[in-house]
Amino acid sequence: MASTWRKALNIYELSQFLCGTQLRARVLVIHGGGQEETQAVPLINGCELLVATPHSLLRLLTQKHTNLRRLCYLVLDDVDILVEQMTAELQSIMAQFAEVLRRRPAGLVIPIQFMGFGSHWTVGLQRYVSAYMSGNPLAIFTSALEAAVFAKVQHRIEMCASVDLPTHLLDALQTLHAAHKKIVIFTSHEMELDRLAQLVDGYADKAADVVLFGSNKLGHTELVDLRQAWLQADRGCDGRAYMIMHDDCYEMLRIVDADAIIHWDLGLKSMVRFRNRLGCMQQHYPVSLQETHAGRQCLSVVLVTEKCVKQARTLVRLLRRLRQPVPQKLQAFHKGILESTNKSRRCIDLCTYLKAYGFCRDQDYCHERHLVVRSLDTPGVVPYYQKLPTAGQVKIRVVHVVDVTRYYAHVLEHKSVAGEVVTLTATYRELAIDLSLYYGVEANCTPHGVPSLWDVCVLKNDKGVSRRVRVFFTTKPRCGLNYVQVQYIDEGGFSEAKVSCLLKLAEQFRSIPFQAVEIYICRLMPSDNDISWPDTASLMVHELLHGQQFDGQIQLALGNTLWLDPLVKRSYLAAIKVYTNEFTVRNRLLMLGLDNAQHLEKLRKICEGVLHLPDNLDAATINRLDGVLVCQTDVMKLKEFEDVVVSSIISPQCFFLQHTATEQELESLLDVINEGDPRSRAGQVDLSPGSLCLALFPGTDDARARWNRGRIVSYEAETRKVDVFFLDFGDTALLPQSDIAVIHQAELKLPCQAIECSLLHVSPPDDDWTDKNADALWDLTHDADERNTLLIAKAVGSSDSRYTGNASFLVELYDCSTPQDILIGQELVARGHAIGSPGSVQELFPEAAVVDTSLPEESYAGITTACAKLYRSKERAERVHLAKRISDIAQEIAQPEHDAVRQCGGIRSLCRLLGFVRNEEILTCLLQSLNCFIADNDDNKDEVCREEGIRAICRLLQCTSAATVQEQATLVFARLTSNARCCAKIRDCGGLALFCRLLLDVDSEAVLPNICLALKNMAEDNHKNCTFIKESGGIARLCELVAMSDDDIILEYAAWTLEKLSMLNSNCDVIGQLGGVEALLERACLCDMDSSKLVLRILVALKAIVTDHPNNIQRVNDSSAFFRLCDRLCGEGDEEVKKVLQQIASRCTHQQDASDVLNMESYTQYNSDDEGVIRIVRSLGEILGAKSAVETSSRGQHEGLDEDVGPNASLLLDDRELLELPTDRESSELVRQSSSQLHGKQVTTSWLPESMQEDLPPPLLDLPLRPLVCWSQKRTLVQLAVKLMEVKRELTTLEVDQNHIDFSTEAEGKTWRLHLELYGPVSLLELVFQGTETIVRLHKYSPGTWPRLLYSSEKMANLMIDFDRFIDSDSESEQLAFHPRNKSEIA
């Protein structure tokens, strides 16, 4: 524990350094002044070393933030101050610790030790040791003076003139008690030794007494002999031993057994020598703290003359500490010294502690003035001080904060007691300009030279700014440079400056008074018995007051200092033309300190008889000043998002918000107010405008009337009606006088909740705001039942308030309760109830002001300007004309210039404008323009993504049902979804859900193809999106479109989307269950044979759906449509269509492993009883011109097969080499190699007709390949080993989402990709790169053994069990066996 916050911080910093570097212990510090709250949580978490002031520790113990149960070592720093000045707090802490010790178990061994360090031994310290330190505590004294105090050495003061010293010396020797046998007489002057020797020799009994003489001229041997003689002087004789000694001999003689000492003089260095002299009696001091009476025989006689001016203070303090009476002569002498000292400090300022608190605790040590001097402290007498008013009120602007109660300010205005207002001459700005101009000329910069204390000069800093300063402290040279401490007399504040930077003050600036006036807040002092304010508290006050204007009542004026009470922050409300009190500074700062009620009284007391002061304020007046009603309004935090509701609306540029965080507090306060019968206080209210009151808010059908806090706007005496503004809601009402009651300050403790705000970037659509505009804003911020909608507000600036008295905030309001976040201001503009403000044009369309004017307006450069004009236009016809003009420009611009449109801000402008438009015709034109620019241009698509164009279009699709807008908007999305970055943004903005909803709700033949195309792009290679579309009902709607739509484009895009969705087995199941397979077959049969592209699209989708899916294959076998289709294509049709149909047939006839069927004979023997298969084979043979093979197969069914079935039998092999795109369930090895090895047998494509071989798709080797994967599992783990060499780690990506895995990488010069739909959900544990494989370790959400790895029961050729890593299930560890070579292999 430390006595002050400053010492606590010093101990903390040193302890933190030592403990942090060596002991690794946590150190915390707590003290008052606003710092405790920040340390509450760390203290709850615990620490090894706590540094605290007693008051703070006691408060935290009371609040249960900590306890003393683990306390082992209690160290008291400045223990003498703690026990004397903080007795009650220390006793309370020790009592709590005693209770802790009493409750500790007997067998618990915890070291306990008390330690105290102090500068003085006091009576209170003696009592503390006796009460709390049992046994025989160890006391160590490093000061002989404090040891003498502990021993209670008696001091007898003899006041005399210098000429009477011999007489008083002999009297002292005469009066010494008989027990004092060894007496030392000290002097600090060598010339006095002979004189003393003669006096003592004449007094001593030559027969019995021994007189010794110790001079600083004696040699070492002589001093040793002298010491021996002293030690033996009292042996065997009844006389006394006298030692006349110079102070310089003390170190050699080391006398410790004297009974008494006499101070002939005190010398110039009296404190050090005085302590040494007292050490001569230490042998008689108590040797333990229990010996309380052992030192009473020791006596110190001090002869004080008129020369002991400096030493008198020390003697008085010493006697007071010992609680010994101070002789009256010494008291008078001491008082005269103080008065003389204060008079000698006439040029020194009045003590800052005296001005701040009314007293100076260390007045004996303080070097400042403590007396009021008429010639210095009368306002206006000193020429370089302003003539300050002594009564009335002043308006000030705070320019510098020294600490919590002391500031420097510029006085702006004075209002006399009679009410006369005088605006003081504002010379500061003119002075600053003149100084800069004058000292900006190098010839005028004359060095000041060596400064003296209180010199006024000019300090020119490195930036060339010149300010007047006053030297108030000089320091020792450092690094060859001289420095001084200076005070800025016009701005306030202090700093250190180089002497070389000080310039001589020109004569024209000497007559200008100091512009900075010292200001003190009255009746406030630091907490915890401290006299200095913590830095944290001063910083808080700086943030609260600096640069602000305040109104203060003058209580006292001395010199250049004003004492103000109260000091109030006031605001002018332009709407109701009154001033309101935001807060009083003293009441706000009371949480940082304590009330100092006697402050002003003490200040006036020291001025009595010196200055004429105004009448003193009585207690009632002081209470009235403290009781000034202060109304503080809640505020928004700039640049932060906060939850709010709208409580009242005057217009979009003046409405009121409430924080939802304080909603419950407000309700509780209003409940308390209404339960207290406010009507009993009615009729006592000050009805002047601006007065605070309670007012009865009129009731409605849904709510009863309630008393609320309000401010009076006006009063009509004739009708006795009062116009009231309600402070918590922002409403106004005209009420009868009987509904107005007195409000108490306690009811204003909660800040008023109505926060005045205005919307960012909006202006009235007409000359001024109308009720219709306000109603539109109300509808946007409330639901259909008139309940508040929870909004998010972000304050971006503030201005003067017109209603609430704090500030009006410029805000952005967001409604996040809808799928798409709504920016309220933007929506208001879009609905035509506002237009963009002039200031927002530059922000939204910065390029509009800097376009190249040399280009014609019809060029791409005119798009940004047209967007800006449309944004600000009020006329609908003009807006439509501008939109059509933008569309015409977009259609006329050639493809190569689309990049230039982006570079000049055209894409950005279109995207931003979309959020501010709701007119169908305008939107259609803007979306058409955007479609032109993003077609086949990925850079422009990225620009749309960056500029939030995607979010704006999503919002449009949500709130519009216009067919043309939907068509153009979905077309934009259909094109944007070809860009991967745009796909991710669309998903984040809820676009995928929007597409699915539109797919279900829209029947337009112009919109549905765009939606299908967008869904197709979103689903491609993205299992998350595929799953979402399925769960949103998208697959069911697509199957319905395939079955029912008459539009070929819709049918084509729906089939294409189903193809992409079939990448997941679960989606294939849904498609089959919903009749998608049959629908595709039927539509393929019904298609015109000239529409080969449509038929091909349907068959490719069908092939993807049935591949490796037995149920869908069976659905094909059971459908007559497939055979009808084969019959239709027999001998006619596109070759590509026939090829895909052959692939479908191959899959349908190879339900088992295709490698088991190598010729027609084995196939027909295996399926000899399957009529459906024979029909497929016959139809397929007819299509491919292999009818003889089919006939042979048919005969073999009844008669047996010929051994030679011909080359066409190979057509029934698994033809994965013929696919356009490899599916995710096929082995990449079949694609990567020119031939495939199936169970040791080589299958080639040489049997194909040359025409079909030429039609094989060439880019197969460029497609992503599927690697070989070996897998193993435990109850909680799954491990995949991807068999690839030379894997590029930086190009490897792995996504794990529930039971889906998406792995891609580059290795061996190729791109590899792996999509797996696992049996159950997992999470990623680790990704490890090894030499020949990449290990993926997964954690099962549900422990257990999976029957297989994949969700589907189908087998994949590139997937096998990892037998090399098989671990017995009885293994103790769930860790699968793999061994990375080094730590760097772990990703």
Side-chain angles (χ1 to χ4, degrees):
M1 285 189 286
S3 59
T4 66
W5 68 268
R6 197 179 300 277
K7 289 193 175 182
L9 281 181
N10 292 337
I11 298 171
Y12 166 74
E13 292 172 358
L14 182 59
S15 301
Q16 191 178 39
F17 170 75
L18 295 176
C19 296
T21 57
Q22 301 178 21
L23 304 180
R24 305 295 180 188
R26 294 168 295 176
V27 185
L28 291 179
V29 60
I30 53 174
H31 57 77
Q35 190 265 354
E36 293 173 10
E37 294 77 8
T38 61
Q39 295 295 329
V41 174
L43 189 60
I44 292 174
N45 294 332
C47 62
E48 283 70 38
L49 177 60
L50 175 64
V51 184
T53 59
H55 297 82
S56 294
L57 179 59
L58 188 59
R59 282 192 293 267
L60 292 174
L61 287 172
T62 304
Q63 296 167 6
K64 306 299 183 183
H65 289 316
T66 188
N67 56 67
L68 302 177
R69 291 196 295 269
R70 295 186 299 145
L71 178 60
C72 299
Y73 301 96
L74 178 61
V75 183
L76 305 181
D77 188 54
D78 287 337
V79 62
D80 50 323
I81 299 177
L82 294 178
V83 299
E84 293 290 344
Q85 300 180 8
M86 307 177 194
T87 307
E89 290 76 17
L90 196 59
Q91 286 177 346
S92 179
I93 293 172
M94 297 306 296
Q96 293 190 39
F97 187 47
E99 183 65 20
V100 170
L101 295 178
R102 188 182 65 81
R103 294 184 178 182
R104 280 186 179 175
L108 187 62
V109 180
I110 297 179
I112 300 174
Q113 185 175 5
F114 292 172
M115 287 171 278
F117 300 88
S119 302
H120 303 94
W121 182 268
T122 65
V123 176
L125 183 55
Q126 175 72 48
R127 294 172 180 170
Y128 170 82
V129 172
S130 301
Y132 300 110
M133 291 188 173
S134 59
N136 188 17
L138 174 65
I140 301 174
F141 292 90
T142 60
S143 169
L145 176 61
E146 297 308 315
V149 174
F150 164 70
K152 300 181 181 178
V153 174
Q154 295 297 311
H155 296 271
R156 194 170 73 197
I157 310 300
E158 297 286 345
M159 297 293 298
C160 62
S162 299
V163 296
D164 297 331
L165 274 175
T167 303
H168 283 78
L169 174 63
L170 296 177
D171 292 342
L173 293 174
Q174 184 69 34
T175 57
L176 285 176
H177 195 271
H180 301 111
K181 292 187 176 183
K182 304 187 76 172
I183 303 168
V184 180
I185 303 171
F186 281 100
T187 180
S188 58
H189 302 286
E190 184 67 26
M191 296 181 296
E192 297 291 331
L193 290 175
D194 295 336
R195 183 182 179 188
L196 284 172
Q198 294 175 6
L199 291 172
V200 176
D201 279 339
Y203 172 78
D205 185 352
K206 293 183 173 51
D209 296 341
V210 177
V211 180
L212 301 175
F213 178 81
S215 171
N216 58 351
K217 295 181 179 180
L218 297 177
H220 177 73
T221 304
E222 294 172 312
L223 289 172
V224 172
D225 294 341
L226 183 61
R227 173 177 171 76
Q228 291 298 323
W230 170 263
L231 295 175
Q232 299 175 5
D234 60 339
R235 297 179 184 178
C237 67
D238 296 331
R240 294 180 176 180
Y242 298 96
M243 171 68 77
I244 302 169
M245 187 170 65
H246 191 276
D247 286 312
D248 293 342
C249 298
Y250 171 78
E251 294 293 335
M252 180 59 70
L253 294 177
R254 287 290 181 181
I255 296 175
V256 295
D257 57 348
D259 303 315
I261 60 174
I262 299 176
H263 306 272
W264 173 259
D265 56 49
L266 295 175
L268 296 177
K269 300 180 180 179
S270 59
M271 281 307 302
V272 177
R273 291 177 173 177
F274 190 78
R275 294 169 185 170
N276 291 338
R277 294 174 181 181
L278 293 175
C280 292
M281 300 180 288
Q282 60 185 279
Q283 183 173 307
H284 302 289
Y285 294 171
V287 295
S288 69
L289 296 178
Q290 280 71 28
E291 300 179 23
T292 56
H293 304 289
R296 291 186 177 177
Q297 62 180 354
C298 298
L299 180 63
S300 169
V301 180
V302 184
L303 303 178
V304 180
T305 68
E306 70 278 3
K307 297 180 180 179
C308 301
V309 175
K310 294 184 178 180
Q311 294 79 11
R313 287 187 179 184
T314 304
L315 291 175
V316 171
R317 287 197 299 267
L318 179 61
L319 293 176
R320 288 173 179 171
R321 284 183 53 201
L322 294 171
R323 302 189 181 182
Q324 295 180 11
V326 180
Q328 292 184 358
K329 291 183 179 181
L330 181 59
Q331 287 184 4
F333 184 53
H334 180 249
K335 183 178 180 180
I337 293 172
L338 291 179
E339 293 177 355
S340 176
T341 302
N342 280 299
K343 289 179 180 179
S344 66
R345 297 174 178 171
R346 294 175 64 89
C347 62
I348 300 177
D349 289 340
L350 201 61
C351 175
T352 54
Y353 293 111
L354 191 67
K355 291 188 285 186
Y357 314 127
F359 64 89
C360 178
R361 185 176 294 171
D362 299 321
Q363 186 169 340
D364 290 342
Y365 299 97
C366 183
H367 297 288
E368 294 182 310
R369 179 163 53 89
H370 297 84
L371 293 178
V372 174
V373 180
R374 181 186 299 273
S375 60
L376 291 178
D377 297 319
T378 301
V381 172
V382 179
Y384 46 80
Y385 287 159
Q386 297 185 44
K387 186 175 182 179
L388 299 177
T390 59
Q393 298 179 4
V394 290
K395 183 186 292 292
I396 64 170
R397 177 185 290 111
V398 178
V399 294
H400 179 75
V401 175
V402 180
D403 57 33
V404 174
T405 57
R406 182 187 178 196
Y407 327 124
Y408 282 92
H410 293 157
V411 180
L412 307 177
E413 185 179 279
H414 173 234
K415 182 178 181 181
S416 66
V417 178
E420 182 181 357
V421 178
V422 178
T423 301
L424 302 181
T425 306
T427 58
Y428 171 72
R429 294 184 181 276
E430 299 176 4
L431 174 63
I433 295 173
D434 292 342
L435 284 171
S436 298
L437 294 175
Y438 183 83
Y439 288 98
V441 180
E442 192 65 29
N444 296 332
C445 300
T446 305
H448 181 76
V450 179
S452 301
L453 202 60
W454 313 121
D455 280 356
V456 178
C457 49
V458 171
L459 175 62
K460 188 174 183 179
N461 61 20
D462 297 337
K463 298 181 180 180
V465 179
S466 301
R467 294 189 177 95
R468 296 194 302 170
V469 296
R470 182 173 66 165
V471 179
F472 75 98
F473 185 70
T474 58
T475 60
K476 295 181 179 180
R478 299 196 311 268
C479 302
L481 298 175
N482 293 321
Y483 291 86
V484 291
Q485 296 287 335
V486 297
Q487 176 189 6
Y488 296 94
I489 59 178
D490 298 317
E491 298 84 5
F494 307 85
S495 70
E496 187 177 64
K498 296 178 183 179
V499 173
S500 58
C501 295
L502 297 179
L503 305 178
K504 186 174 294 185
L505 184 65
E507 288 297 329
Q508 61 264 37
F509 301 118
R510 291 186 179 275
S511 59
I512 301 176
F514 295 178
Q515 296 299 297
V517 176
E518 191 176 28
I519 305 293
Y520 280 94
I521 294 295
C522 302
R523 300 180 294 123
L524 189 65
M525 65 181 299
S527 58
D528 301 350
N529 199 37
D530 214 327
I531 58 173
S532 60
W533 294 96
D535 295 337
T536 53
S538 299
L539 181 59
M540 291 172 59
V541 174
H542 172 82
E543 295 176 352
L544 178 68
L545 306 183
H546 186 265
Q548 301 293 321
Q549 291 187 15
F550 298 89
D551 293 275
Q553 178 78 33
I554 300 174
Q555 301 298 331
L556 185 63
L558 296 177
N560 195 43
T561 306
L562 290 175
W563 282 261
L564 304 180
D565 191 11
L567 185 63
V568 183
K569 172 65 175 173
R570 307 187 70 195
S571 297
Y572 180 70
L573 306 181
I576 56 180
K577 300 180 181 179
V578 297
Y579 282 94
T580 180
N581 298 329
E582 291 188 26
F583 62 89
T584 61
V585 175
R586 180 179 178 274
N587 291 344
R588 180 70 68 86
L589 301 183
L590 268 175
M591 65 178 183
L592 302 176
L594 300 174
D595 180 43
N596 183 15
Q598 304 299 318
H599 180 203
L600 288 173
E601 183 178 343
K602 292 177 180 178
L603 287 174
R604 296 179 70 90
K605 187 174 182 179
I606 65 173
C607 295
E608 287 180 358
V610 181
L611 299 178
H612 174 71
L613 300 177
D615 294 337
N616 192 14
L617 298 179
D618 55 19
T621 305
I622 294 294
N623 293 334
R624 181 179 58 80
L625 292 175
D626 285 340
V628 172
L629 290 178
V630 175
C631 175
Q632 183 182 359
T633 304
D634 203 1
V635 296
M636 304 287 293
K637 297 178 181 178
L638 295 180
K639 307 298 183 182
E640 293 189 15
F641 293 94
E642 301 177 83
D643 294 339
V644 298
V645 294
V646 175
S647 60
S648 178
I649 299 175
I650 297 176
S651 72
Q653 283 189 332
C654 185
F655 56 92
F656 299 91
L657 300 179
Q658 290 178 331
H659 280 123
T660 58
T662 54
E663 180 180 2
Q664 189 59 45
E665 293 182 59
L666 176 61
E667 286 300 316
S668 299
L669 174 64
L670 294 181
D671 289 341
V672 171
I673 291 174
N674 283 270
E675 291 170 0
D677 189 19
R679 191 173 292 279
S680 62
R681 295 181 249 164
Q684 309 171 19
V685 186
D686 178 10
L687 298 177
S688 60
S691 299
L692 302 176
C693 64
L694 290 177
L696 187 65
F697 191 83
T700 61
D701 296 338
D702 299 328
R704 59 183 177 85
R706 295 185 75 189
W707 290 90
N708 286 269
R709 302 184 293 180
R711 178 185 288 113
I712 295 176
V713 178
S714 63
Y715 172 62
E716 299 176 2
E718 296 180 357
T719 61
R720 301 179 67 84
K721 295 284 187 177
V722 183
D723 191 9
V724 178
F725 173 79
F726 289 92
L727 299 170
D728 293 310
F729 300 93
D731 297 299
T732 57
L734 192 63
L735 305 175
Q737 185 177 344
S738 59
D739 289 344
I740 308 298
V742 173
I743 190 171
H744 298 152
Q745 184 64 54
E747 295 165 337
L748 292 168
K749 185 175 181 180
L750 178 69
C752 300
Q753 296 299 295
I755 307 173
E756 186 177 340
C757 297
S758 61
L759 277 179
L760 180 68
H761 294 335
V762 296
S763 295
D766 300 311
D767 294 336
D768 201 355
W769 297 106
T770 63
D771 292 341
K772 186 177 181 181
N773 305 142
D775 292 342
L777 179 58
W778 182 268
D779 294 338
L780 286 172
T781 55
H782 294 76
D783 61 16
D785 297 327
E786 298 294 313
R787 292 191 299 252
N788 290 325
T789 300
L790 179 62
L791 305 174
I792 305 297
K794 177 185 177 183
V796 298
S798 63
S799 59
D800 293 337
S801 171
R802 301 175 63 243
Y803 288 90
T804 59
N806 194 326
S808 177
F809 294 91
L810 193 62
V811 299
E812 294 177 340
L813 277 182
Y814 299 88
D815 181 4
C816 300
S817 61
T818 59
Q820 286 292 322
D821 295 347
I822 301 176
L823 182 57
I824 300 297
Q826 179 176 311
E827 186 67 17
L828 204 63
V829 174
R831 295 188 180 187
H833 294 288
I835 63 172
S837 63
S840 64
V841 175
Q842 181 63 28
E843 182 175 340
L844 293 174
F845 310 102
E847 296 86 355
V850 295
V851 295
D852 187 357
T853 56
S854 62
L855 297 173
E857 292 188 355
E858 289 74 15
S859 69
Y860 60 83
I863 292 179
T864 301
T865 303
C867 288
K869 291 181 179 179
L870 193 154
Y871 172 73
R872 285 283 296 157
S873 176
K874 298 181 180 180
E875 299 296 331
R876 180 182 180 279
E878 182 185 5
R879 291 162 63 86
V880 172
H881 170 73
L882 289 169
K884 290 181 178 180
R885 178 180 160 195
I886 294 172
S887 179
D888 293 341
I889 295 174
Q891 295 176 19
E892 294 172 1
I893 294 176
Q895 181 77 19
E897 291 185 332
H898 287 178
D899 287 332
V901 174
R902 180 187 69 257
Q903 293 166 4
C904 74
I907 305 296
R908 180 187 301 110
S909 300
L910 286 172
C911 292
R912 294 181 177 180
L913 189 58
L914 286 173
F916 295 92
V917 178
R918 288 295 178 271
N919 180 274
E920 176 183 346
E921 192 172 0
I922 297 174
L923 282 174
T924 301
C925 293
L926 296 179
L927 291 170
Q928 284 176 345
S929 305
L930 197 59
N931 268 312
C932 293
F933 296 136
I934 65 174
D936 301 323
N937 193 314
D938 272 351
D939 291 336
N940 285 353
K941 294 176 183 177
D942 288 339
E943 180 81 352
V944 174
C945 183
R946 283 192 300 270
E947 296 301 328
E948 296 295 331
I950 291 175
R951 190 178 302 278
I953 301 175
C954 286
R955 173 63 186 153
L956 287 177
L957 285 175
Q958 281 186 327
C959 60
T960 185
S961 58
T964 55
V965 176
Q966 288 182 340
E967 177 185 358
Q968 293 299 322
T970 53
L971 180 57
V972 171
F973 279 133
R975 290 174 173 172
L976 289 176
T977 49
S978 63
N979 181 288
R981 183 181 299 177
C982 293
C983 283
K985 185 68 174 180
I986 290 171
R987 175 68 184 260
D988 292 341
C989 295
L992 186 58
L994 184 61
F995 297 162
C996 294
R997 182 177 65 80
L998 289 174
L999 182 66
L1000 298 176
D1001 298 342
V1002 174
D1003 293 324
S1004 171
E1005 294 182 354
V1007 177
L1008 283 174
N1010 297 337
I1011 298 175
C1012 291
L1013 184 58
L1015 287 173
K1016 185 272 297 184
N1017 292 336
M1018 294 286 288
E1020 190 166 6
D1021 291 332
N1022 193 309
H1023 60 264
K1024 293 182 183 178
N1025 292 348
C1026 291
T1027 302
F1028 184 88
I1029 294 171
K1030 175 190 70 175
E1031 295 173 349
S1032 301
I1035 291 180
R1037 175 60 171 162
L1038 289 169
C1039 292
E1040 179 185 347
L1041 290 176
V1042 170
M1044 307 296 295
S1045 178
D1046 295 329
D1047 187 277
D1048 288 350
I1049 298 178
I1050 295 177
L1051 176 59
E1052 178 183 355
Y1053 285 165
W1056 199 357
T1057 306
L1058 288 175
E1059 174 197 346
K1060 300 304 179 182
L1061 291 170
S1062 65
M1063 67 176 292
L1064 297 181
N1065 263 318
S1066 57
N1067 285 358
C1068 293
D1069 287 339
V1070 174
I1071 294 172
Q1073 294 167 7
L1074 295 174
V1077 174
E1078 293 84 350
L1080 288 169
L1081 288 171
E1082 290 291 343
R1083 295 312 301 267
C1085 291
L1086 297 176
C1087 287
D1088 189 353
M1089 286 299 100
D1090 295 334
S1091 304
S1092 58
K1093 179 181 177 183
L1094 176 59
V1095 176
L1096 181 63
R1097 178 57 60 198
I1098 295 174
L1099 293 180
V1100 169
L1102 183 63
K1103 179 186 68 174
I1105 294 170
V1106 304
T1107 299
D1108 294 337
H1109 202 285
N1111 293 334
N1112 288 342
I1113 290 175
Q1114 186 61 44
R1115 291 185 177 95
V1116 174
N1117 289 337
D1118 295 342
S1119 172
S1120 63
F1122 182 78
F1123 305 108
R1124 297 200 310 270
L1125 181 62
C1126 292
D1127 293 340
R1128 287 190 61 191
L1129 293 176
C1130 181
E1132 62 177 304
D1134 184 79
E1135 292 298 327
E1136 289 293 332
V1137 174
K1138 294 180 180 180
K1139 186 188 303 181
V1140 176
L1141 190 62
Q1142 176 211 0
Q1143 294 168 357
I1144 296 173
S1146 175
R1147 282 153 178 74
C1148 292
T1149 56
H1150 286 77
Q1151 300 177 48
Q1152 308 299 322
D1153 191 343
S1155 61
D1156 293 336
V1157 186
L1158 300 180
N1159 53 56
M1160 183 64 68
E1161 180 180 3
S1162 61
Y1163 169 74
T1164 54
Q1165 287 176 354
Y1166 183 84
N1167 295 287
S1168 58
D1169 59 345
D1170 195 332
E1171 291 291 340
V1173 171
I1174 297 303
R1175 293 177 61 190
I1176 292 175
V1177 172
R1178 182 179 296 112
S1179 300
L1180 183 60
E1182 292 175 354
I1183 292 172
L1184 299 177
K1187 189 173 182 178
S1188 59
V1190 176
E1191 291 174 353
T1192 302
S1193 175
S1194 181
R1195 279 198 314 270
Q1197 183 177 0
H1198 304 285
E1199 302 174 1
L1201 286 172
D1202 294 336
E1203 294 182 1
D1204 186 10
V1205 296
N1208 287 334
S1210 299
L1211 290 175
L1212 300 182
L1213 292 175
D1214 188 358
D1215 52 350
R1216 300 182 188 185
E1217 299 89 339
L1218 301 180
L1219 297 180
E1220 280 191 56
L1221 297 174
T1223 66
D1224 290 321
R1225 293 180 294 274
E1226 296 172 332
S1227 171
S1228 61
E1229 292 296 326
L1230 299 179
V1231 180
R1232 185 169 58 87
Q1233 301 174 4
S1234 59
S1235 60
S1236 302
Q1237 186 70 30
L1238 296 177
H1239 292 267
K1241 298 182 180 181
Q1242 201 78 343
V1243 181
T1244 68
T1245 60
S1246 59
W1247 52 269
L1248 289 172
E1250 292 183 2
S1251 60
M1252 293 186 65
Q1253 292 185 24
E1254 293 175 357
D1255 292 336
L1256 286 177
L1260 288 177
L1261 295 179
D1262 296 332
L1263 297 173
L1265 309 179
R1266 281 168 295 281
L1268 177 65
V1269 179
C1270 300
W1271 74 283
S1272 54
Q1273 68 167 323
K1274 294 296 291 184
R1275 283 184 55 80
T1276 60
L1277 301 175
V1278 175
Q1279 180 169 297
L1280 308 180
V1282 183
K1283 302 293 185 177
L1284 289 175
M1285 299 180 64
E1286 302 177 3
V1287 173
K1288 295 183 179 180
R1289 303 185 186 188
E1290 66 276 6
L1291 299 178
T1292 300
T1293 60
L1294 175 63
E1295 293 184 9
V1296 179
D1297 179 38
Q1298 296 293 324
N1299 60 331
H1300 295 281
I1301 292 180
D1302 188 354
F1303 173 86
S1304 65
T1305 188
E1306 288 195 11
E1308 304 174 8
K1310 303 178 180 64
T1311 301
W1312 302 81
R1313 181 173 295 172
L1314 179 68
H1315 296 285
L1316 296 178
E1317 187 176 7
L1318 301 183
Y1319 185 80
V1322 295
S1323 62
L1324 178 64
L1325 285 179
E1326 201 169 18
L1327 177 64
V1328 181
F1329 296 95
Q1330 295 185 213
T1332 59
E1333 61 187 4
T1334 301
I1335 304 296
V1336 180
R1337 300 185 65 240
L1338 308 168
H1339 174 71
K1340 298 178 182 177
Y1341 282 178
S1342 302
T1345 302
W1346 291 353
R1348 58 185 180 274
L1349 178 65
L1350 302 182
Y1351 174 82
S1352 171
S1353 59
E1354 299 299 321
K1355 297 181 180 179
M1356 293 179 60
N1358 64 320
L1359 188 64
M1360 62 180 63
I1361 296 176
D1362 192 348
F1363 293 100
D1364 294 337
R1365 290 188 173 89
F1366 176 78
I1367 298 178
D1368 187 22
S1369 60
D1370 295 333
S1371 173
E1372 295 181 359
S1373 173
E1374 285 291 312
Q1375 182 78 15
L1376 290 169
F1378 75 94
H1379 308 283
R1381 291 172 295 180
N1382 52 64
K1383 293 183 178 180
S1384 65
E1385 294 180 343
I1386 300 177

